[in-house]
Amino acid sequence: MKRLGKVSHYAKQGFLIVRANWVPSLNEPVVDKDLKAVGVVKDVFGPVDYPYVAVKPRVKNPEKYVGALLYVDRRKKNKRPDKKAKVRRSKGSKRVGRSRPAPKKRG
């Protein structure tokens, strides 16, 4: 968890505007001090040294977060636990199972 910054205001477009001193990645989850999910990072704008971050809120009353400190949740969460892991093959190995169909001839 890394400190993002203090919420300066709630914009009429529906974003919480946060003043940060570093540039977070887009779509990173944003939480408050109690680790309650507040929203996600949707835009970064302004000067490089001290940028503004637009957070799309996912709470019912986002105005109550004006003046509060927000954090970026860096914990890794496995979004798709049922997805199979990729199988690594060496260059010389052939595919096992279904192969691609031959391309159709034109003309």
Side-chain angles (χ1 to χ4, degrees):
M1 190 164 85
K2 188 171 180 181
R3 180 181 169 174
L4 182 60
K6 190 181 238 186
V7 178
S8 65
H9 65 280
Y10 180 65
K12 63 182 176 182
Q13 292 84 5
F15 293 103
L16 289 169
I17 306 301
V18 180
R19 193 71 192 246
N21 55 7
W22 61 283
V23 179
S25 298
L26 297 179
N27 294 322
E28 281 194 300
V30 177
V31 296
D32 62 1
K33 65 180 180 179
D34 300 324
L35 294 178
K36 181 183 173 193
V38 175
V40 292
V41 174
K42 283 297 176 185
D43 194 14
V44 179
F45 57 95
V48 175
D49 296 334
Y50 203 52
Y52 290 98
V53 178
V55 176
K56 180 72 173 174
R58 300 235 171 127
V59 291
K60 289 194 178 203
N61 191 7
E63 294 91 8
K64 74 176 186 177
Y65 287 100
V66 173
L69 287 175
L70 296 181
Y71 303 87
V72 171
D73 192 4
R74 294 273 175 133
R75 295 179 292 174
K76 299 285 184 188
K77 291 186 179 179
N78 194 359
K79 292 183 179 179
R80 297 182 184 185
D82 56 346
K83 191 171 183 178
K84 293 181 182 177
K86 278 189 174 180
V87 177
R88 299 188 121 200
R89 296 186 306 256
S90 61
K91 283 188 175 181
S93 68
K94 294 185 178 182
R95 294 182 117 176
V96 178
R98 296 185 342 175
S99 62
R100 284 179 36 187
K104 294 182 180 178
K105 292 184 180 180
R106 292 191 224 177

